[in-house]
Amino acid sequence: MFAQRLMESYRKLVLAALAAGAGLLSAGFSFGPKYVLLHPAGPVAKSELHVFILALELMAIVAVIVLALFFYAIVRFRDTAGNTAPYTPNWHSHTLLEVSVWILPAILLLFIAIPTVKTTFSLAHLPKGKDPVVIDVTSLTWKWLFEYPKQHIATVNYAVIPANRPVLFELTADSPMNTFWVPQLGGMEYTMPNRVLPLWLEADKAGTYWGHSGQFSGVGFEKMFFNVKAVSQKSFQTWTTTTASAHPMTLAAYDRLLKQTTVGDSTYGNYPADTFPTLASGFSLTGSGMYMVMHDKKGISYIPMVGS
Amino acid sequence: MPSFVPYLVHTLFPPGVLLPDILLIDFGLICAGIGVIVLLTKTRRWGWLWYDWLTTVDHKKIAILYLIASLVMLMRGGIDALMLRAQLALPTTHFMPASQYDEVFTTHGTIMVFFMGMPFIFALFNAVVPLMIGARDVAFPRLNAMSYWLFAFGAILFNISFVIGGSPNAGWTAYPPYTGLAFNPGPGENYYFLALIIAGMGTTMTGINFLVTTLKMRAPGMSLMKMPMFVWSTMVTSALILFAFPPLTVALAMSLFDRLFGSHFFTLARGGMPMMYVNLFWLFGHPEVYILIIPLFGVFSEVVATFSKKVLFGYPVMVASIVAIMFLAYGTWVHHFFTMGAGPAVNAFFGLSTMLIAIPTGVKIFNWIFTMWGGRIQTTTAMLYQMAFIPVFMVGGATGILLAVVPADYQLHNSYFLVAHFHNVLIGGTLFGLLSGLYYWWPKMFGMKLNETQGKWAFWLFLIGFWVTFLPQYLLGLKGMTRRIYTYPLGFGWHDLNVISTFGAFIMGAAFVVLVYNIVWSLLYGERDLTGDPWDGRTLEWSLPSPVPEYNFPRIPVVHDRDAWWAMKQKGQSLADLRPEDVHDVEMPKNSPIPFLLGASFFVLGFGMTFAWWPIAIIGFVGIILCLLFSGFDYDDHHHLKADVIRQTEATLGRLQG
Ligand code: HEM
Ligand SMILES: [Cu+2]
Ligand SMILES: [Cu+2]
């Protein structure tokens, strides 16, 4: 009689598992392009997704083992009349089990840890032999300012980048903290006042990729969406030259941007010097940031962080 | 009209607190307040309230006070959560203004962590730890009452913000420079900093108290390795509190200085370093998440053994794992800001340390399963929560590992994936653990069982509601939805999953209603617990009658075994066969109004400082000094309970021979 009950519960379990699996599978087919994290469009996002999936698969193995043990235990050892399962009220230790619950998870975690460390280090450096485009990003309340130090142009709430070429974003804030995030190109990095942090991204193909802030910074924060347009190298060149002839950004215009407002896109032909620390000021690219100290209105000095 | 009146009205009641829903709540609160006053006066209960409750130093009563406060806070935090979910259900809606949404997610998180989770844990500590170790009270009973009143008045200070002056709105993490005056005028953040500093002092004192209690007050024979797991988890949690709260207090105080006294620790202007705050906060914050889960590991270890009718599997391993967690918990805090540019070496280190801490956590899961293995599982409500906890917490832990994978975290940080992760562990771990403990120890605290049928209804609603709410949020994270956004455009494909998530939240809301009904119904009609041992328990608290008399143990038991009470029962012993000559006079701590007055003084100080009204603050400060002086020179702090009184009590309970 018990065996029958057991079989019944098991059949239910198996059915439920099948249904769940089928659900997941069909969901898998519908992980459409809206799942931006699963549709990377550049090498950074791709390698981040790669370790994520690897870790996910290994965790799924753990989950299957734990769930199997767990469901077996709660079905088999229920306190029901006539349960014939062995009852061992004083069984409290088993050396092999007690040791393996430490060792086996540790071994499994090694398989996650090694790629984690590798990818962490490899993403901290720009790929060698490729000349990056540098864009200085400042988060303002509640908008994004992009300055191109080489091209001397600036944009608000959108950026244009060449595809297939690494872009080095140098991030800072003249506002509360935000994070700069373009999911399809790669992970986020904070923008912080008095600090500059580097983040490099690259687009594999032309296209428009949306970005957003991930750190709450006030009532207009949810409007801090922006677009990154990846175009061919040639169109990028044309774009920069035509843009260079647009109206320059004045200090007064910058001060207007500092106000707590949300604004649309805009484009400037030039911008005041020293609104941002640049590569020329000795900024290093090795993945660690630096402190920046402002003296009055103008004049900034930089203190590299230890280890950068 | 004197000129200060408009100033007062404007300061205390800015437009942000004059929204229709808040005014409605004001009205309700005033009515309820009047109702309570009338009721107390009519039934002549003021003396009862003061002498039996507000001045009590009895750990069992303090436990009940903590429990009431945390259930009220669970309701407030839960209503906040439903408001958040209502706003997020559909794209581009304006269920409430953006400024109010920001306040609501801030109060939701802060309340759930500091004013629901922590006091609920302290309720369980107070209710059972002294009983489990065979003690008559905690090590410092009056300090215990002070802890409670500091917490309670801190909570009141935090909660009045939404009717007076405006709520804090920078999230429960309160990152600067957004909390600075430049971006955040108004008293809201002052409330946050001051309330947390005050409540945090109470928490620190609780940590000291229970550390000393578990180290020094154990019954003869109860060596460290004979302590019940819940006592171990209390000891470890207390140690964590002791070292985690100072950095928080420092960070909060520095932020407060920036706001009140014009310093520039974390401001945008003049080279402040906001990241220093972030470091300090998470230096506290990561140990804090373990403070919120380790006690529940203890609860689950007790519950699983009792209801599997089997001894806990691998006790030494269970002890080793929480001790390991205790040390490792201080070494992982940077995983909360991998994306703040600490460099690959630092990030890799903290990614690995986080994976390391998952090992002892996983070990515990296996041991609970092995405890059920070969047992006879009784599916009481307490046990159902324990059984639900295992798969839910495992998913939370697994997603935690994914977040510890540094490159993956670059994509997942501050997304809804993160939101889903911490609710997975906080609801599936903390809340389920608290409820499991509540159903398990309720008979001991109140003398009757909670109705099991109603309890199971609440349980299933919580469990189903939980998955329906938070599974979609993982997917939303993969769709790039970031946390704390007030609303979102249609084009991202976020709306369908958000509707489902909101639906789940309301299922959990229904679960809470059933829970409250369950409690009220059981208080009125619940099955009395006449044996004192309704679950056939294993630890010493079940050797006592329910509810437990003031002095706990008429005679301090001698402990020989790990599951002390179980072993006594096996040997046919009982504590109910007391001989009259075994009973002696007992020294008991005396009630005192000082803890309550001290808390009230801190409240006055905090309120004054919130609005920078220094005369009021000074009054509060003087009150604090006076309370401390009186308390320090008050040598009349205990009384002797006569042996005759105890004999009589025990005799009426039928526990005395002859
Ligand atoms: C009915 C159950 C609950 C629901 C529907 C819910 C929902 C939410 C939502 C919508 C948010 C805001 C997400 C955002 O940042 O935009 C949130 C944040 C949070 N919740 Fe819950 N929650 C629930 C229960 C709990 C419990 C029981 C705890 C703790 C024990 C908790 C702790 C937190 C914390 C710490 C935050 C972060 C707050 C912040 O970032 O400022 N929640 N929750
Ligand atoms: Cu953490
Ligand atoms: Cu976590």
Side-chain angles (χ1 to χ4, degrees):
Chain A
M1 188 199 91
F2 165 72
Q4 204 179 345
R5 286 262 289 285
L6 192 71
M7 279 313 295
E8 231 168 47
S9 327
Y10 253 110
R11 206 170 306 131
K12 269 188 216 149
L13 268 179
V14 170
L15 281 181
L18 280 180
L24 272 182
L25 270 182
S26 61
F29 287 121
S30 63
F31 280 148
K34 298 283 189 212
Y35 286 88
V36 279
L37 264 54
L38 306 180
H39 295 272
V44 178
K46 271 184 189 146
S47 51
E48 284 165 347
L49 179 65
H50 183 77
V51 273
F52 173 70
I53 296 289
L54 179 84
L56 188 67
E57 284 166 355
L58 289 170
M59 290 328 291
I61 296 179
V62 179
V64 169
I65 296 172
V66 173
L67 290 182
L69 286 174
F70 169 74
F71 281 110
Y72 181 80
I74 63 170
V75 173
R76 184 85 204 275
F77 299 107
R78 282 285 289 277
D79 184 26
T80 43
N83 187 347
T84 53
Y87 176 48
T88 50
N90 295 319
W91 182 62
H92 63 88
S93 98
H94 185 290
T95 316
L96 183 65
L97 274 182
E98 277 165 79
V99 173
S100 38
V101 291
W102 293 85
I103 306 288
L104 295 182
I107 293 175
L108 187 105
L109 281 177
L110 265 185
F111 286 96
I112 300 181
I114 293 168
T116 297
V117 174
K118 269 195 186 150
T119 318
T120 304
F121 275 93
S122 72
L123 286 181
H125 299 271
L126 278 160
K128 290 206 180 70
K130 276 187 167 181
D131 176 31
V133 181
V134 177
I135 302 181
D136 293 340
V137 183
T138 312
S139 72
L140 303 167
T141 37
W142 297 288
K143 52 196 84 76
W144 294 93
L145 173 63
F146 299 90
E147 295 169 335
Y148 294 67
K150 279 242 185 66
Q151 291 81 0
H152 299 289
I153 52 179
T155 57
V156 173
N157 284 343
Y158 80 95
V160 178
I161 61 167
N164 291 314
R165 202 175 139 192
V167 183
L168 177 69
F169 294 96
E170 301 178 330
L171 310 170
T172 193
D174 210 346
S175 69
M177 292 184 197
N178 283 283
T179 72
F180 175 82
W181 190 26
V182 190
Q184 279 188 279
L185 300 187
M188 64 182 83
E189 187 82 45
Y190 274 84
T191 63
M192 285 182 280
N194 310 326
R195 282 284 303 275
V196 187
L197 297 179
L199 176 73
W200 77 272
L201 300 173
E202 183 178 329
D204 275 348
K205 44 185 183 285
T208 300
Y209 308 105
W210 62 264
H212 187 35
S213 167
Q215 174 65 36
F216 172 72
S217 60
V219 283
F221 148 78
E222 83 277 1
K223 303 212 177 65
M224 287 179 80
F225 285 99
F226 59 93
N227 279 322
V228 173
K229 294 174 196 158
V231 298
S232 70
Q233 178 65 29
K234 238 173 79 200
S235 333
F236 180 68
Q237 231 113 49
T238 347
W239 177 75
T240 48
T241 34
T242 42
T243 307
S245 55
H247 277 298
M249 183 169 77
T250 56
L251 264 183
Y254 183 76
D255 285 341
R256 269 200 301 283
L257 288 176
L258 275 180
K259 295 237 166 67
Q260 303 194 2
T261 50
T262 53
V263 299
D265 299 358
S266 43
T267 312
Y268 298 101
N270 203 344
Y271 56 92
D274 273 352
T275 53
F276 202 92
T278 59
L279 265 179
S281 20
F283 183 58
S284 82
L285 303 181
T286 48
S288 201
M290 66 195 315
Y291 292 111
M292 119 179 129
V293 182
M294 303 236 202
H295 308 289
D296 293 325
K297 276 241 148 177
K298 280 187 186 159
I300 306 171
S301 57
Y302 309 95
I303 312 166
M305 282 180 65
V306 190
S308 67
Chain B
M1 201 162 63
S3 64
F4 65 84
V5 171
Y7 162 76
L8 265 189
V9 170
H10 181 78
T11 312
L12 296 180
F13 304 105
V17 305
L18 296 180
L19 301 167
D21 49 343
I22 295 185
L23 287 178
L24 196 73
I25 296 172
D26 290 351
F27 180 72
L29 286 179
I30 291 172
C31 292
I34 293 176
V36 168
I37 291 175
V38 169
L39 193 75
L40 282 172
T41 314
K42 265 205 163 155
T43 55
R44 300 175 184 280
R45 286 290 185 104
W46 285 102
W48 165 83
L49 181 67
W50 179 256
Y51 293 111
D52 279 11
W53 293 98
L54 301 189
T55 61
T56 186
V57 294
D58 181 345
H59 68 97
K60 299 179 287 299
K61 286 187 172 168
I62 291 178
I64 292 175
L65 291 174
Y66 269 122
L67 182 64
I68 294 170
S70 44
L71 286 174
V72 171
M73 287 294 96
L74 179 59
M75 183 182 78
R76 155 120 209 234
I79 293 175
D80 283 348
L82 294 183
M83 289 173 69
L84 295 171
R85 282 315 320 170
Q87 165 62 32
L88 288 175
L90 297 169
T92 56
T93 42
H94 299 278
F95 176 73
M96 62 181 126
S99 55
Q100 195 186 4
Y101 181 84
D102 300 345
E103 296 180 351
V104 175
F105 74 64
T106 302
T107 54
H108 165 73
T110 312
I111 283 177
M112 287 300 198
V113 169
F114 291 100
F115 300 121
M116 188 290 284
M118 303 282 291
F120 209 141
I121 286 168
F122 296 156
L124 297 184
F125 282 4
N126 273 289
V128 290
V129 168
L131 306 181
M132 276 185 159
I133 61 175
R136 293 224 165 86
D137 207 317
V138 295
F140 310 114
R142 188 182 289 185
L143 190 70
N144 197 22
M146 287 181 178
S147 293
Y148 175 76
W149 288 110
L150 285 182
F151 147 75
F153 278 105
I156 294 173
L157 187 64
F158 187 83
N159 277 279
I160 59 167
S161 64
F162 88 106
V163 289
I164 301 176
S167 299
N169 61 2
W172 83 282
T173 47
Y175 279 9
Y178 181 61
T179 52
L181 284 178
F183 301 100
N184 215 323
E189 286 303 316
N190 292 351
Y191 271 121
Y192 171 93
F193 293 127
L194 285 155
L196 289 199
I197 290 174
I198 293 172
M201 284 191 292
T203 305
T204 312
M205 282 158 25
T206 305
I208 296 172
N209 214 337
F210 278 91
L211 193 58
V212 178
T213 304
T214 49
L215 282 174
K216 303 289 292 180
M217 307 277 290
R218 279 172 282 126
M222 186 182 277
S223 60
L224 285 179
M225 289 309 273
K226 289 205 179 100
M227 293 197 303
M229 272 320 288
F230 185 64
V231 178
W232 262 109
S233 69
T234 305
M235 185 190 276
V236 163
T237 308
S238 304
L240 277 172
I241 287 175
L242 207 54
F243 293 97
F245 270 71
L248 175 71
T249 310
V250 168
L252 298 173
M254 287 165 93
S255 300
L256 191 66
F257 270 49
D258 281 358
R259 291 176 60 84
L260 289 180
F261 307 122
S263 57
H264 289 280
F265 294 117
F266 310 131
T267 57
L268 189 153
R270 292 176 194 259
M273 280 189 197
M275 193 174 164
M276 285 315 292
Y277 173 92
V278 177
N279 264 294
L280 285 170
F281 184 87
W282 289 112
L283 201 53
F284 145 81
H286 190 80
E288 168 70 8
V289 306
Y290 279 97
I291 292 169
L292 284 170
I293 195 64
I294 287 182
L296 297 320
F297 287 171
V299 171
F300 287 131
S301 298
E302 302 300 335
V303 167
V304 76
T306 299
F307 294 112
S308 302
K309 298 279 137 253
K310 190 165 162 286
V311 58
L312 184 70
F313 183 86
Y315 174 94
V317 174
M318 291 301 241
V319 172
S321 63
I322 52 172
V323 173
I325 291 172
M326 173 176 80
F327 287 110
L328 292 173
Y330 291 108
T332 63
W333 79 96
V334 172
H335 66 209
H336 293 277
F337 47 99
F338 283 141
T339 56
M340 272 192 187
V346 173
N347 279 356
F349 175 88
F350 281 93
L352 295 185
S353 70
T354 307
M355 293 179 195
L356 204 61
I357 205 172
I359 298 176
T361 315
V363 164
K364 301 191 79 74
I365 299 228
F366 283 112
N367 279 7
W368 287 313
I369 296 179
F370 295 146
T371 303
M372 299 194 271
W373 206 276
R376 281 291 177 272
I377 301 170
Q378 299 172 334
T379 47
T380 56
T381 310
M383 187 63 187
L384 283 177
Y385 279 111
Q386 139 81 13
M387 294 199 292
F389 155 82
I390 289 181
V392 175
F393 196 79
M394 188 204 62
V395 172
T399 56
I401 295 277
L402 297 180
L403 292 166
V405 174
V406 181
D409 182 70
Y410 267 66
Q411 287 282 29
L412 300 173
H413 178 61
N414 272 4
S415 73
Y416 259 82
F417 192 93
L418 168 83
V419 174
H421 155 71
F422 67 65
H423 284 90
N424 221 167
V425 282
L426 279 174
I427 295 183
T430 308
L431 191 64
F432 283 9
L434 291 169
L435 293 175
S436 178
L438 185 73
Y439 280 85
Y440 184 50
W441 282 309
W442 184 275
K444 196 46 58 189
M445 295 176 78
F446 294 95
M448 88 286 289
K449 278 188 176 181
L450 286 170
N451 179 293
E452 284 282 317
T453 315
Q454 295 160 9
K456 285 176 186 172
W457 271 95
F459 163 77
W460 284 108
L461 287 170
F462 264 126
L463 182 63
I464 294 168
F466 166 77
W467 282 118
V468 176
T469 310
F470 292 103
L471 268 188
Q473 293 190 7
Y474 282 115
L475 300 178
L476 281 168
L478 299 182
K479 283 184 164 184
M481 179 163 167
T482 50
R483 72 191 293 203
R484 295 179 186 168
I485 55 174
Y486 158 62
T487 187
Y488 49 90
L490 186 60
F492 294 95
W494 295 344
H495 49 282
D496 40 3
L497 292 168
N498 269 303
V499 177
I500 300 176
S501 180
T502 299
F503 179 66
F506 279 86
I507 299 181
M508 273 196 275
F512 182 77
V513 174
V514 177
L515 175 71
V516 171
Y517 177 80
N518 186 191
I519 289 175
V520 174
W521 189 93
S522 306
L523 281 172
L524 296 176
Y525 316 109
E527 181 196 333
R528 301 281 128 189
D529 168 29
L530 301 174
T531 60
D533 189 10
W535 313 119
D536 195 9
R538 314 179 73 87
T539 38
L540 279 179
E541 75 273 28
W542 303 112
S543 71
L544 298 173
S546 311
V548 181
E550 183 196 355
Y551 48 82
N552 297 356
F553 294 89
R555 174 189 53 180
I556 300 295
V558 179
V559 174
H560 301 288
D561 303 272
R562 202 169 273 156
D563 287 343
W565 175 233
W566 183 258
M568 287 182 201
K569 285 192 283 190
Q570 297 291 307
K571 294 177 202 151
Q573 297 168 353
S574 145
L575 294 189
D577 53 359
L578 205 62
R579 284 169 311 171
E581 60 271 26
D582 286 340
V583 180
H584 305 284
D585 285 7
V586 167
E587 191 181 290
M588 294 298 295
K590 210 174 184 176
N591 284 4
S592 162
I594 302 257
F596 179 84
L597 296 176
L598 183 72
S601 307
F602 265 104
F603 176 83
V604 174
L605 173 72
F607 188 78
M609 284 181 77
T610 298
F611 290 93
W613 291 340
W614 301 109
I616 295 187
I618 289 170
I619 294 175
F621 185 70
V622 171
I624 294 169
I625 299 293
L626 287 179
C627 285
L628 292 180
L629 282 178
F630 270 109
S631 187
F633 291 100
D634 178 10
Y635 298 110
D636 176 27
D637 57 357
H638 60 275
H639 66 109
H640 291 270
L641 203 60
K642 290 273 170 270
D644 275 344
V645 181
I646 299 178
R647 279 188 205 115
Q648 214 165 11
T649 316
E650 293 290 315
T652 32
L653 289 166
R655 295 166 70 90
L656 202 63
Q657 278 183 4

